[in-house]
Short mmCIF file of all heavy atoms in Angstrom, two decimals:
data_model
loop_
_atom_site.label_atom_id
_atom_site.label_comp_id
_atom_site.label_asym_id
_atom_site.label_seq_id
_atom_site.Cartn_x
_atom_site.Cartn_y
_atom_site.Cartn_z
N MET A 1346 15.97 -3.12 -25.48
CA MET A 1346 14.50 -3.08 -25.58
C MET A 1346 14.03 -4.13 -26.61
O MET A 1346 14.58 -4.20 -27.71
CB MET A 1346 14.07 -1.68 -26.02
CG MET A 1346 12.64 -1.34 -25.64
SD MET A 1346 12.10 0.26 -26.30
CE MET A 1346 13.22 1.41 -25.48
N SER A 1347 13.03 -4.91 -26.24
CA SER A 1347 12.53 -5.95 -27.15
C SER A 1347 11.69 -5.33 -28.27
O SER A 1347 11.21 -4.20 -28.14
CB SER A 1347 11.69 -6.96 -26.38
OG SER A 1347 10.47 -6.38 -25.98
N ASP A 1348 11.52 -6.09 -29.34
CA ASP A 1348 10.68 -5.61 -30.45
C ASP A 1348 9.28 -5.28 -29.97
O ASP A 1348 8.67 -4.29 -30.42
CB ASP A 1348 10.60 -6.68 -31.55
CG ASP A 1348 11.88 -6.73 -32.38
OD1 ASP A 1348 12.78 -5.91 -32.12
OD2 ASP A 1348 11.97 -7.59 -33.26
N GLN A 1349 8.79 -6.13 -29.06
CA GLN A 1349 7.43 -5.94 -28.54
C GLN A 1349 7.32 -4.61 -27.79
O GLN A 1349 6.35 -3.88 -27.94
CB GLN A 1349 7.11 -7.09 -27.59
CG GLN A 1349 5.63 -7.37 -27.46
CD GLN A 1349 5.37 -8.58 -26.57
OE1 GLN A 1349 6.30 -9.22 -26.08
NE2 GLN A 1349 4.13 -8.88 -26.35
N GLU A 1350 8.37 -4.31 -27.01
CA GLU A 1350 8.39 -3.05 -26.24
C GLU A 1350 8.45 -1.85 -27.19
O GLU A 1350 7.78 -0.84 -26.97
CB GLU A 1350 9.62 -3.03 -25.34
CG GLU A 1350 9.31 -2.79 -23.88
CD GLU A 1350 10.56 -2.95 -23.03
OE1 GLU A 1350 11.09 -4.07 -22.96
OE2 GLU A 1350 11.01 -1.93 -22.50
N ILE A 1351 9.27 -1.98 -28.24
CA ILE A 1351 9.40 -0.89 -29.22
C ILE A 1351 8.05 -0.65 -29.90
O ILE A 1351 7.61 0.49 -30.04
CB ILE A 1351 10.49 -1.22 -30.27
CG1 ILE A 1351 11.87 -1.19 -29.60
CG2 ILE A 1351 10.45 -0.23 -31.43
CD1 ILE A 1351 13.00 -1.73 -30.45
N GLU A 1352 7.38 -1.76 -30.26
CA GLU A 1352 6.05 -1.63 -30.90
C GLU A 1352 5.05 -0.96 -29.98
O GLU A 1352 4.27 -0.12 -30.40
CB GLU A 1352 5.54 -3.02 -31.29
CG GLU A 1352 5.68 -3.30 -32.77
CD GLU A 1352 5.23 -4.70 -33.13
OE1 GLU A 1352 4.12 -5.08 -32.75
OE2 GLU A 1352 6.03 -5.40 -33.78
N LYS A 1353 5.09 -1.32 -28.69
CA LYS A 1353 4.18 -0.74 -27.70
C LYS A 1353 4.43 0.76 -27.57
O LYS A 1353 3.50 1.56 -27.56
CB LYS A 1353 4.38 -1.44 -26.35
CG LYS A 1353 3.38 -1.03 -25.30
CD LYS A 1353 3.47 -1.97 -24.09
CE LYS A 1353 2.63 -1.45 -22.95
NZ LYS A 1353 3.39 -0.67 -21.98
N ARG A 1354 5.71 1.14 -27.50
CA ARG A 1354 6.06 2.57 -27.39
C ARG A 1354 5.59 3.35 -28.62
O ARG A 1354 5.10 4.46 -28.51
CB ARG A 1354 7.59 2.74 -27.24
CG ARG A 1354 8.12 2.15 -25.96
CD ARG A 1354 8.56 3.21 -25.00
NE ARG A 1354 8.98 2.62 -23.75
CZ ARG A 1354 10.21 2.71 -23.25
NH1 ARG A 1354 11.13 3.40 -23.89
NH2 ARG A 1354 10.50 2.16 -22.11
N LEU A 1355 5.78 2.74 -29.81
CA LEU A 1355 5.36 3.40 -31.05
C LEU A 1355 3.84 3.58 -31.07
O LEU A 1355 3.34 4.64 -31.46
CB LEU A 1355 5.81 2.59 -32.28
CG LEU A 1355 7.28 2.73 -32.66
CD1 LEU A 1355 7.62 1.77 -33.79
CD2 LEU A 1355 7.62 4.16 -33.05
N ALA A 1356 3.11 2.54 -30.62
CA ALA A 1356 1.64 2.61 -30.57
C ALA A 1356 1.21 3.71 -29.61
O ALA A 1356 0.28 4.47 -29.89
CB ALA A 1356 1.06 1.27 -30.17
N GLU A 1357 1.89 3.80 -28.46
CA GLU A 1357 1.56 4.84 -27.48
C GLU A 1357 1.84 6.23 -28.04
O GLU A 1357 1.06 7.16 -27.84
CB GLU A 1357 2.37 4.63 -26.19
CG GLU A 1357 1.85 3.47 -25.37
CD GLU A 1357 2.71 3.14 -24.16
OE1 GLU A 1357 3.78 3.78 -23.98
OE2 GLU A 1357 2.32 2.24 -23.41
N LYS A 1358 2.94 6.36 -28.75
CA LYS A 1358 3.31 7.65 -29.37
C LYS A 1358 2.26 8.04 -30.42
O LYS A 1358 1.84 9.19 -30.47
CB LYS A 1358 4.70 7.52 -30.01
CG LYS A 1358 5.16 8.71 -30.83
CD LYS A 1358 5.86 9.74 -29.97
CE LYS A 1358 6.46 10.88 -30.77
NZ LYS A 1358 5.46 11.78 -31.34
N GLU A 1359 1.83 7.08 -31.22
CA GLU A 1359 0.80 7.34 -32.23
C GLU A 1359 -0.50 7.78 -31.59
O GLU A 1359 -1.15 8.72 -32.05
CB GLU A 1359 0.52 6.07 -33.04
CG GLU A 1359 1.15 6.09 -34.41
CD GLU A 1359 0.94 4.78 -35.14
OE1 GLU A 1359 -0.21 4.30 -35.19
OE2 GLU A 1359 1.93 4.25 -35.66
N LEU A 1360 -0.89 7.07 -30.51
CA LEU A 1360 -2.12 7.43 -29.79
C LEU A 1360 -2.01 8.83 -29.21
O LEU A 1360 -2.93 9.64 -29.32
CB LEU A 1360 -2.40 6.39 -28.69
CG LEU A 1360 -3.63 6.63 -27.82
CD1 LEU A 1360 -4.89 6.76 -28.65
CD2 LEU A 1360 -3.78 5.51 -26.81
N LEU A 1361 -0.85 9.13 -28.61
CA LEU A 1361 -0.64 10.45 -28.02
C LEU A 1361 -0.72 11.55 -29.09
O LEU A 1361 -1.38 12.58 -28.89
CB LEU A 1361 0.72 10.49 -27.31
CG LEU A 1361 1.05 11.77 -26.54
CD1 LEU A 1361 0.04 12.02 -25.43
CD2 LEU A 1361 2.46 11.70 -25.96
N ASP A 1362 -0.10 11.33 -30.24
CA ASP A 1362 -0.15 12.30 -31.34
C ASP A 1362 -1.59 12.50 -31.81
O ASP A 1362 -2.02 13.64 -32.05
CB ASP A 1362 0.70 11.84 -32.53
CG ASP A 1362 2.19 11.98 -32.25
OD1 ASP A 1362 2.54 12.64 -31.26
OD2 ASP A 1362 2.99 11.41 -33.02
N ALA A 1363 -2.34 11.39 -31.93
CA ALA A 1363 -3.73 11.48 -32.38
C ALA A 1363 -4.57 12.25 -31.36
O ALA A 1363 -5.36 13.13 -31.72
CB ALA A 1363 -4.31 10.08 -32.59
N LEU A 1364 -4.37 11.93 -30.07
CA LEU A 1364 -5.11 12.63 -29.01
C LEU A 1364 -4.79 14.12 -29.03
O LEU A 1364 -5.68 14.96 -28.93
CB LEU A 1364 -4.73 12.06 -27.64
CG LEU A 1364 -5.29 10.69 -27.28
CD1 LEU A 1364 -4.73 10.24 -25.93
CD2 LEU A 1364 -6.81 10.74 -27.20
N ASN A 1365 -3.51 14.45 -29.17
CA ASN A 1365 -3.12 15.86 -29.15
C ASN A 1365 -3.66 16.61 -30.36
O ASN A 1365 -3.99 17.79 -30.26
CB ASN A 1365 -1.60 15.99 -29.04
CG ASN A 1365 -1.13 15.81 -27.60
OD1 ASN A 1365 -1.90 16.05 -26.67
ND2 ASN A 1365 0.10 15.42 -27.42
N GLY A 1366 -3.79 15.92 -31.49
CA GLY A 1366 -4.40 16.54 -32.66
C GLY A 1366 -5.83 16.95 -32.37
O GLY A 1366 -6.25 18.07 -32.66
N ILE A 1367 -6.58 16.03 -31.76
CA ILE A 1367 -7.97 16.29 -31.43
C ILE A 1367 -8.07 17.35 -30.32
O ILE A 1367 -8.90 18.25 -30.38
CB ILE A 1367 -8.69 14.98 -31.00
CG1 ILE A 1367 -8.76 14.04 -32.20
CG2 ILE A 1367 -10.08 15.28 -30.46
CD1 ILE A 1367 -9.09 12.61 -31.83
N ARG A 1368 -7.18 17.23 -29.33
CA ARG A 1368 -7.19 18.20 -28.22
C ARG A 1368 -6.94 19.62 -28.74
O ARG A 1368 -7.56 20.57 -28.28
CB ARG A 1368 -6.15 17.81 -27.17
CG ARG A 1368 -6.59 16.62 -26.31
CD ARG A 1368 -5.51 16.22 -25.35
NE ARG A 1368 -5.29 17.19 -24.30
CZ ARG A 1368 -5.94 17.19 -23.12
NH1 ARG A 1368 -6.83 16.25 -22.86
NH2 ARG A 1368 -5.70 18.10 -22.23
N THR A 1369 -6.05 19.76 -29.70
CA THR A 1369 -5.76 21.08 -30.27
C THR A 1369 -7.01 21.65 -30.94
O THR A 1369 -7.38 22.80 -30.71
CB THR A 1369 -4.61 20.98 -31.29
OG1 THR A 1369 -3.48 20.41 -30.63
CG2 THR A 1369 -4.24 22.34 -31.84
N ILE A 1370 -7.70 20.81 -31.72
CA ILE A 1370 -8.92 21.24 -32.40
C ILE A 1370 -9.99 21.63 -31.37
O ILE A 1370 -10.69 22.62 -31.54
CB ILE A 1370 -9.46 20.11 -33.32
CG1 ILE A 1370 -8.50 19.88 -34.48
CG2 ILE A 1370 -10.87 20.44 -33.84
CD1 ILE A 1370 -8.76 18.60 -35.25
N GLU A 1371 -10.10 20.85 -30.29
CA GLU A 1371 -11.14 21.10 -29.28
C GLU A 1371 -10.73 22.16 -28.26
O GLU A 1371 -11.52 22.51 -27.38
CB GLU A 1371 -11.51 19.79 -28.57
CG GLU A 1371 -12.22 18.82 -29.50
CD GLU A 1371 -12.82 17.63 -28.78
OE1 GLU A 1371 -12.72 17.55 -27.55
OE2 GLU A 1371 -13.41 16.79 -29.47
N GLY A 1372 -9.51 22.68 -28.37
CA GLY A 1372 -9.09 23.77 -27.50
C GLY A 1372 -8.52 23.34 -26.15
O GLY A 1372 -8.44 24.14 -25.23
N PHE A 1373 -8.11 22.06 -26.05
CA PHE A 1373 -7.47 21.60 -24.82
C PHE A 1373 -5.96 21.63 -25.00
O PHE A 1373 -5.47 21.42 -26.11
CB PHE A 1373 -7.90 20.16 -24.47
CG PHE A 1373 -9.37 20.02 -24.23
CD1 PHE A 1373 -10.17 19.33 -25.12
CD2 PHE A 1373 -9.95 20.57 -23.10
CE1 PHE A 1373 -11.53 19.19 -24.91
CE2 PHE A 1373 -11.31 20.44 -22.87
CZ PHE A 1373 -12.11 19.76 -23.77
N PRO A 1374 -5.21 21.90 -23.92
CA PRO A 1374 -3.75 21.89 -24.07
C PRO A 1374 -3.24 20.49 -24.39
O PRO A 1374 -3.82 19.50 -23.95
CB PRO A 1374 -3.26 22.34 -22.68
CG PRO A 1374 -4.39 22.09 -21.74
CD PRO A 1374 -5.66 22.18 -22.56
N PRO A 1375 -2.17 20.39 -25.19
CA PRO A 1375 -1.63 19.07 -25.54
C PRO A 1375 -1.05 18.35 -24.32
O PRO A 1375 -0.64 18.99 -23.35
CB PRO A 1375 -0.54 19.38 -26.56
CG PRO A 1375 -0.20 20.81 -26.37
CD PRO A 1375 -1.42 21.49 -25.81
N LEU A 1376 -1.05 17.03 -24.38
CA LEU A 1376 -0.50 16.21 -23.29
C LEU A 1376 0.94 15.85 -23.63
O LEU A 1376 1.28 15.64 -24.79
CB LEU A 1376 -1.32 14.93 -23.15
CG LEU A 1376 -2.81 15.05 -22.88
CD1 LEU A 1376 -3.50 13.71 -23.06
CD2 LEU A 1376 -3.04 15.58 -21.48
N SER A 1377 1.80 15.78 -22.59
CA SER A 1377 3.18 15.36 -22.84
C SER A 1377 3.30 13.85 -22.76
O SER A 1377 4.22 13.26 -23.33
CB SER A 1377 4.13 16.02 -21.84
OG SER A 1377 3.71 15.74 -20.52
N GLU A 1378 2.36 13.21 -22.06
CA GLU A 1378 2.34 11.75 -22.06
C GLU A 1378 0.91 11.26 -21.89
O GLU A 1378 0.04 12.04 -21.49
CB GLU A 1378 3.24 11.19 -20.97
CG GLU A 1378 2.88 11.69 -19.59
CD GLU A 1378 3.87 11.20 -18.53
OE1 GLU A 1378 5.07 11.11 -18.87
OE2 GLU A 1378 3.44 10.91 -17.42
N LEU A 1379 0.69 9.98 -22.17
CA LEU A 1379 -0.66 9.42 -22.05
C LEU A 1379 -1.08 9.46 -20.58
O LEU A 1379 -0.29 9.14 -19.70
CB LEU A 1379 -0.68 7.97 -22.54
CG LEU A 1379 -0.55 7.77 -24.05
CD1 LEU A 1379 -0.52 6.28 -24.36
CD2 LEU A 1379 -1.67 8.44 -24.81
N PRO A 1380 -2.33 9.85 -20.30
CA PRO A 1380 -2.79 9.85 -18.92
C PRO A 1380 -2.99 8.42 -18.42
O PRO A 1380 -3.01 7.47 -19.20
CB PRO A 1380 -4.13 10.60 -18.99
CG PRO A 1380 -4.55 10.56 -20.40
CD PRO A 1380 -3.33 10.34 -21.24
N GLU A 1381 -3.13 8.29 -17.11
CA GLU A 1381 -3.43 6.99 -16.52
C GLU A 1381 -4.79 6.53 -17.04
O GLU A 1381 -5.74 7.31 -17.02
CB GLU A 1381 -3.49 7.11 -14.99
CG GLU A 1381 -2.15 7.11 -14.31
CD GLU A 1381 -1.39 5.81 -14.49
OE1 GLU A 1381 -1.96 4.75 -14.17
OE2 GLU A 1381 -0.25 5.86 -14.98
N PRO A 1382 -4.91 5.29 -17.48
CA PRO A 1382 -6.23 4.81 -17.91
C PRO A 1382 -7.17 4.70 -16.71
O PRO A 1382 -6.68 4.49 -15.60
CB PRO A 1382 -5.94 3.44 -18.51
CG PRO A 1382 -4.48 3.21 -18.42
CD PRO A 1382 -3.86 4.30 -17.67
N PRO A 1383 -8.48 4.80 -16.86
CA PRO A 1383 -9.13 5.01 -18.14
C PRO A 1383 -9.17 6.49 -18.51
O PRO A 1383 -9.31 7.35 -17.67
CB PRO A 1383 -10.54 4.48 -17.89
CG PRO A 1383 -10.79 4.77 -16.44
CD PRO A 1383 -9.45 4.63 -15.77
N PHE A 1384 -9.03 6.76 -19.80
CA PHE A 1384 -9.19 8.12 -20.31
C PHE A 1384 -9.94 8.03 -21.62
O PHE A 1384 -9.97 6.96 -22.25
CB PHE A 1384 -7.84 8.82 -20.49
CG PHE A 1384 -6.87 8.08 -21.36
CD1 PHE A 1384 -6.88 8.25 -22.74
CD2 PHE A 1384 -5.94 7.22 -20.81
CE1 PHE A 1384 -5.99 7.58 -23.55
CE2 PHE A 1384 -5.03 6.52 -21.62
CZ PHE A 1384 -5.06 6.70 -22.99
N CYS A 1385 -10.56 9.13 -22.03
CA CYS A 1385 -11.32 9.14 -23.28
C CYS A 1385 -10.35 8.90 -24.44
O CYS A 1385 -9.35 9.60 -24.56
CB CYS A 1385 -12.05 10.47 -23.45
SG CYS A 1385 -12.91 10.60 -25.03
N SER A 1386 -10.64 7.91 -25.27
CA SER A 1386 -9.76 7.57 -26.39
C SER A 1386 -9.80 8.61 -27.49
O SER A 1386 -9.00 8.57 -28.42
CB SER A 1386 -10.15 6.21 -26.96
OG SER A 1386 -10.19 5.25 -25.95
N PHE A 1387 -10.75 9.56 -27.41
CA PHE A 1387 -10.91 10.56 -28.46
C PHE A 1387 -10.27 11.89 -28.10
O PHE A 1387 -9.63 12.50 -28.94
CB PHE A 1387 -12.39 10.74 -28.78
CG PHE A 1387 -12.99 9.50 -29.38
CD1 PHE A 1387 -13.39 8.45 -28.57
CD2 PHE A 1387 -13.11 9.36 -30.75
CE1 PHE A 1387 -13.91 7.29 -29.11
CE2 PHE A 1387 -13.62 8.20 -31.29
CZ PHE A 1387 -14.03 7.16 -30.48
N CYS A 1388 -10.44 12.36 -26.84
CA CYS A 1388 -9.87 13.65 -26.46
C CYS A 1388 -8.77 13.51 -25.42
O CYS A 1388 -8.09 14.48 -25.13
CB CYS A 1388 -10.95 14.60 -25.97
SG CYS A 1388 -11.69 14.10 -24.40
N GLY A 1389 -8.59 12.32 -24.87
CA GLY A 1389 -7.51 12.08 -23.92
C GLY A 1389 -7.76 12.58 -22.52
O GLY A 1389 -6.87 12.52 -21.68
N ARG A 1390 -8.98 13.09 -22.26
CA ARG A 1390 -9.24 13.57 -20.91
C ARG A 1390 -9.50 12.39 -19.98
O ARG A 1390 -10.13 11.41 -20.36
CB ARG A 1390 -10.40 14.56 -20.91
CG ARG A 1390 -10.00 15.91 -21.51
CD ARG A 1390 -11.10 16.91 -21.47
NE ARG A 1390 -12.20 16.47 -22.30
CZ ARG A 1390 -13.44 16.94 -22.19
NH1 ARG A 1390 -13.73 17.85 -21.27
NH2 ARG A 1390 -14.38 16.51 -22.99
N ALA A 1391 -8.99 12.53 -18.76
CA ALA A 1391 -9.12 11.46 -17.77
C ALA A 1391 -10.53 11.43 -17.20
O ALA A 1391 -11.28 12.40 -17.31
CB ALA A 1391 -8.12 11.67 -16.65
N LYS A 1392 -10.86 10.30 -16.60
CA LYS A 1392 -12.20 10.11 -16.04
C LYS A 1392 -12.56 11.23 -15.06
O LYS A 1392 -13.68 11.71 -15.04
CB LYS A 1392 -12.27 8.75 -15.34
CG LYS A 1392 -13.68 8.36 -14.98
CD LYS A 1392 -13.74 6.97 -14.41
CE LYS A 1392 -15.19 6.63 -14.12
NZ LYS A 1392 -15.34 5.29 -13.56
N ASN A 1393 -11.58 11.67 -14.25
CA ASN A 1393 -11.89 12.72 -13.27
C ASN A 1393 -12.12 14.09 -13.92
O ASN A 1393 -12.62 15.01 -13.29
CB ASN A 1393 -10.83 12.78 -12.16
CG ASN A 1393 -9.46 13.14 -12.69
OD1 ASN A 1393 -9.30 13.48 -13.86
ND2 ASN A 1393 -8.46 13.04 -11.84
N GLU A 1394 -11.77 14.25 -15.20
CA GLU A 1394 -12.02 15.51 -15.92
C GLU A 1394 -13.40 15.50 -16.58
O GLU A 1394 -13.98 16.56 -16.81
CB GLU A 1394 -10.98 15.73 -17.02
CG GLU A 1394 -9.59 16.08 -16.55
CD GLU A 1394 -8.66 16.26 -17.73
OE1 GLU A 1394 -8.10 15.24 -18.21
OE2 GLU A 1394 -8.50 17.40 -18.19
N VAL A 1395 -13.87 14.32 -16.95
CA VAL A 1395 -15.11 14.25 -17.74
C VAL A 1395 -16.29 13.65 -16.98
O VAL A 1395 -17.42 13.67 -17.46
CB VAL A 1395 -14.90 13.46 -19.06
CG1 VAL A 1395 -13.94 14.20 -19.96
CG2 VAL A 1395 -14.43 12.04 -18.80
N GLY A 1396 -16.03 13.11 -15.79
CA GLY A 1396 -17.13 12.58 -14.97
C GLY A 1396 -17.40 11.11 -15.20
O GLY A 1396 -17.38 10.33 -14.28
N ALA A 1397 -17.65 10.74 -16.45
CA ALA A 1397 -17.96 9.34 -16.74
C ALA A 1397 -17.43 9.00 -18.11
O ALA A 1397 -17.29 9.86 -18.98
CB ALA A 1397 -19.46 9.11 -16.69
N LEU A 1398 -17.11 7.73 -18.29
CA LEU A 1398 -16.63 7.24 -19.58
C LEU A 1398 -17.40 5.98 -19.94
O LEU A 1398 -17.66 5.15 -19.08
CB LEU A 1398 -15.13 6.89 -19.50
CG LEU A 1398 -14.16 8.06 -19.34
CD1 LEU A 1398 -12.79 7.53 -18.95
CD2 LEU A 1398 -14.05 8.85 -20.63
N VAL A 1399 -17.76 5.86 -21.19
CA VAL A 1399 -18.39 4.63 -21.67
C VAL A 1399 -17.28 3.76 -22.23
O VAL A 1399 -16.46 4.22 -23.02
CB VAL A 1399 -19.44 4.92 -22.77
CG1 VAL A 1399 -20.01 3.62 -23.32
CG2 VAL A 1399 -20.56 5.78 -22.21
N GLU A 1400 -17.24 2.51 -21.77
CA GLU A 1400 -16.18 1.61 -22.18
C GLU A 1400 -16.60 0.79 -23.39
O GLU A 1400 -17.70 0.24 -23.42
CB GLU A 1400 -15.82 0.67 -21.01
CG GLU A 1400 -14.64 -0.22 -21.34
CD GLU A 1400 -14.21 -1.08 -20.15
OE1 GLU A 1400 -14.86 -1.02 -19.09
OE2 GLU A 1400 -13.22 -1.81 -20.31
N GLY A 1401 -15.72 0.75 -24.39
CA GLY A 1401 -15.95 -0.11 -25.54
C GLY A 1401 -14.85 -1.14 -25.62
O GLY A 1401 -14.13 -1.34 -24.64
N HIS A 1402 -14.70 -1.77 -26.74
CA HIS A 1402 -13.63 -2.76 -26.91
C HIS A 1402 -12.30 -2.02 -27.02
O HIS A 1402 -12.02 -1.39 -28.03
CB HIS A 1402 -13.90 -3.60 -28.16
CG HIS A 1402 -12.90 -4.69 -28.35
ND1 HIS A 1402 -12.81 -5.76 -27.50
CD2 HIS A 1402 -11.92 -4.84 -29.26
CE1 HIS A 1402 -11.82 -6.53 -27.90
NE2 HIS A 1402 -11.27 -6.01 -28.96
N ASN A 1403 -11.49 -2.08 -25.95
CA ASN A 1403 -10.18 -1.42 -25.94
C ASN A 1403 -10.24 0.10 -26.07
O ASN A 1403 -9.28 0.71 -26.53
CB ASN A 1403 -9.30 -1.95 -27.07
CG ASN A 1403 -8.51 -3.16 -26.65
OD1 ASN A 1403 -8.30 -3.38 -25.45
ND2 ASN A 1403 -8.11 -3.97 -27.60
N ALA A 1404 -11.38 0.72 -25.74
CA ALA A 1404 -11.48 2.17 -25.88
C ALA A 1404 -12.54 2.72 -24.94
O ALA A 1404 -13.40 1.99 -24.45
CB ALA A 1404 -11.84 2.53 -27.31
N TYR A 1405 -12.44 4.01 -24.68
CA TYR A 1405 -13.43 4.70 -23.85
C TYR A 1405 -13.85 5.96 -24.59
O TYR A 1405 -13.10 6.51 -25.39
CB TYR A 1405 -12.83 5.12 -22.51
CG TYR A 1405 -12.43 3.98 -21.63
CD1 TYR A 1405 -11.16 3.40 -21.75
CD2 TYR A 1405 -13.30 3.48 -20.66
CE1 TYR A 1405 -10.78 2.35 -20.93
CE2 TYR A 1405 -12.93 2.43 -19.84
CZ TYR A 1405 -11.66 1.87 -19.98
OH TYR A 1405 -11.29 0.83 -19.18
N ILE A 1406 -15.06 6.45 -24.28
CA ILE A 1406 -15.50 7.72 -24.86
C ILE A 1406 -16.23 8.52 -23.79
O ILE A 1406 -16.97 7.96 -22.99
CB ILE A 1406 -16.36 7.49 -26.13
CG1 ILE A 1406 -16.59 8.81 -26.87
CG2 ILE A 1406 -17.68 6.79 -25.80
CD1 ILE A 1406 -17.13 8.66 -28.29
N CYS A 1407 -16.00 9.85 -23.79
CA CYS A 1407 -16.67 10.73 -22.83
C CYS A 1407 -17.95 11.27 -23.46
O CYS A 1407 -18.17 11.13 -24.67
CB CYS A 1407 -15.74 11.87 -22.40
SG CYS A 1407 -15.48 13.14 -23.65
N ALA A 1408 -18.78 11.88 -22.63
CA ALA A 1408 -20.08 12.38 -23.11
C ALA A 1408 -19.91 13.42 -24.22
O ALA A 1408 -20.65 13.40 -25.21
CB ALA A 1408 -20.86 12.98 -21.94
N GLN A 1409 -18.92 14.30 -24.06
CA GLN A 1409 -18.73 15.36 -25.06
C GLN A 1409 -18.33 14.77 -26.42
O GLN A 1409 -18.86 15.17 -27.46
CB GLN A 1409 -17.66 16.34 -24.58
CG GLN A 1409 -17.57 17.59 -25.44
CD GLN A 1409 -16.48 18.53 -24.95
OE1 GLN A 1409 -16.15 18.56 -23.78
NE2 GLN A 1409 -15.93 19.30 -25.87
N CYS A 1410 -17.42 13.81 -26.41
CA CYS A 1410 -16.99 13.18 -27.67
C CYS A 1410 -18.11 12.32 -28.25
O CYS A 1410 -18.26 12.25 -29.47
CB CYS A 1410 -15.72 12.37 -27.46
SG CYS A 1410 -14.29 13.41 -27.16
N ALA A 1411 -18.90 11.67 -27.39
CA ALA A 1411 -20.02 10.87 -27.88
C ALA A 1411 -21.04 11.78 -28.57
O ALA A 1411 -21.57 11.44 -29.64
CB ALA A 1411 -20.67 10.11 -26.72
N ALA A 1412 -21.28 12.96 -27.99
CA ALA A 1412 -22.23 13.91 -28.58
C ALA A 1412 -21.71 14.41 -29.92
O ALA A 1412 -22.47 14.52 -30.90
CB ALA A 1412 -22.46 15.08 -27.62
N GLU A 1413 -20.40 14.69 -29.97
CA GLU A 1413 -19.79 15.16 -31.22
C GLU A 1413 -19.85 14.06 -32.28
O GLU A 1413 -20.16 14.31 -33.45
CB GLU A 1413 -18.33 15.58 -30.94
CG GLU A 1413 -17.55 16.03 -32.14
CD GLU A 1413 -18.06 17.33 -32.76
OE1 GLU A 1413 -18.95 17.98 -32.17
OE2 GLU A 1413 -17.59 17.69 -33.86
N ALA A 1414 -19.57 12.82 -31.86
CA ALA A 1414 -19.63 11.68 -32.79
C ALA A 1414 -21.04 11.51 -33.33
O ALA A 1414 -21.25 11.27 -34.52
CB ALA A 1414 -19.17 10.41 -32.08
N ARG A 1415 -22.04 11.66 -32.45
CA ARG A 1415 -23.43 11.52 -32.86
C ARG A 1415 -23.79 12.59 -33.90
O ARG A 1415 -24.42 12.31 -34.92
CB ARG A 1415 -24.33 11.64 -31.63
CG ARG A 1415 -25.80 11.49 -31.96
CD ARG A 1415 -26.64 11.46 -30.69
NE ARG A 1415 -28.03 11.22 -31.03
CZ ARG A 1415 -28.89 12.17 -31.40
NH1 ARG A 1415 -28.49 13.43 -31.44
NH2 ARG A 1415 -30.12 11.87 -31.71
N ARG A 1416 -23.33 13.82 -33.61
CA ARG A 1416 -23.60 14.93 -34.52
C ARG A 1416 -23.00 14.64 -35.91
O ARG A 1416 -23.66 14.83 -36.93
CB ARG A 1416 -22.99 16.21 -33.93
CG ARG A 1416 -23.54 17.50 -34.49
CD ARG A 1416 -22.87 18.71 -33.85
NE ARG A 1416 -21.43 18.75 -34.08
CZ ARG A 1416 -20.87 19.17 -35.21
NH1 ARG A 1416 -21.60 19.59 -36.21
NH2 ARG A 1416 -19.55 19.17 -35.36
N LEU A 1417 -21.76 14.16 -35.92
CA LEU A 1417 -21.09 13.86 -37.19
C LEU A 1417 -21.78 12.71 -37.92
O LEU A 1417 -21.95 12.76 -39.14
CB LEU A 1417 -19.62 13.51 -36.95
CG LEU A 1417 -18.74 14.65 -36.48
CD1 LEU A 1417 -17.36 14.15 -36.07
CD2 LEU A 1417 -18.60 15.71 -37.57
N LEU A 1418 -22.21 11.69 -37.16
CA LEU A 1418 -22.88 10.55 -37.78
C LEU A 1418 -24.22 10.96 -38.36
O LEU A 1418 -24.60 10.52 -39.45
CB LEU A 1418 -23.07 9.42 -36.76
CG LEU A 1418 -21.79 8.64 -36.44
CD1 LEU A 1418 -22.03 7.72 -35.25
CD2 LEU A 1418 -21.32 7.84 -37.64
N LEU A 1419 -24.93 11.81 -37.65
CA LEU A 1419 -26.23 12.28 -38.14
C LEU A 1419 -26.05 13.06 -39.45
O LEU A 1419 -26.83 12.90 -40.38
CB LEU A 1419 -26.93 13.16 -37.10
CG LEU A 1419 -27.49 12.42 -35.89
CD1 LEU A 1419 -28.02 13.42 -34.86
CD2 LEU A 1419 -28.62 11.47 -36.31
N ARG A 1420 -25.00 13.88 -39.47
CA ARG A 1420 -24.73 14.67 -40.68
C ARG A 1420 -24.37 13.73 -41.83
O ARG A 1420 -24.79 13.92 -42.96
CB ARG A 1420 -23.58 15.64 -40.39
CG ARG A 1420 -23.50 16.75 -41.42
CD ARG A 1420 -22.57 17.83 -41.00
NE ARG A 1420 -21.20 17.33 -40.88
CZ ARG A 1420 -20.17 18.05 -40.44
NH1 ARG A 1420 -20.37 19.28 -40.02
NH2 ARG A 1420 -18.98 17.55 -40.37
N GLU A 1421 -23.58 12.70 -41.50
CA GLU A 1421 -23.13 11.72 -42.50
C GLU A 1421 -24.29 10.94 -43.10
O GLU A 1421 -24.37 10.75 -44.31
CB GLU A 1421 -22.14 10.75 -41.84
CG GLU A 1421 -21.46 9.81 -42.77
CD GLU A 1421 -20.11 10.35 -43.23
OE1 GLU A 1421 -19.79 11.52 -42.93
OE2 GLU A 1421 -19.42 9.61 -43.88
N THR A 1422 -25.19 10.47 -42.23
CA THR A 1422 -26.26 9.60 -42.69
C THR A 1422 -27.51 10.38 -43.09
O THR A 1422 -28.39 9.85 -43.74
CB THR A 1422 -26.68 8.57 -41.61
OG1 THR A 1422 -27.12 9.30 -40.46
CG2 THR A 1422 -25.51 7.68 -41.22
N GLY A 1423 -27.55 11.65 -42.63
CA GLY A 1423 -28.71 12.48 -42.94
C GLY A 1423 -29.97 12.05 -42.20
O GLY A 1423 -31.08 12.41 -42.58
N ARG A 1424 -29.79 11.23 -41.13
CA ARG A 1424 -30.95 10.79 -40.35
C ARG A 1424 -30.88 11.31 -38.94
O ARG A 1424 -29.83 11.58 -38.42
CB ARG A 1424 -31.01 9.25 -40.31
CG ARG A 1424 -31.74 8.73 -41.55
CD ARG A 1424 -31.87 7.24 -41.50
NE ARG A 1424 -30.74 6.61 -42.16
CZ ARG A 1424 -30.36 5.36 -41.98
NH1 ARG A 1424 -30.95 4.60 -41.09
NH2 ARG A 1424 -29.35 4.85 -42.63
ZN1 LIG B 891 -13.61 12.76 -24.99
#
């Protein structure tokens, strides 16, 4: 396995761990592997689970995570 491949696998493992951390908090069962893209970069749910995804630079977000992010940002900024 090349260094590049090892790095890619490690990045995927990190993303999977991060997704599963959030999924546990949100009450979704953990994933054993990354879903087929596109999937929400925050909760790991696939497009067919969430209906629509907003695409950003190298990331996607579902409506539920966008709403949660908005709520947290509003609390943070107080606006
Ligand atoms: Zn999401």
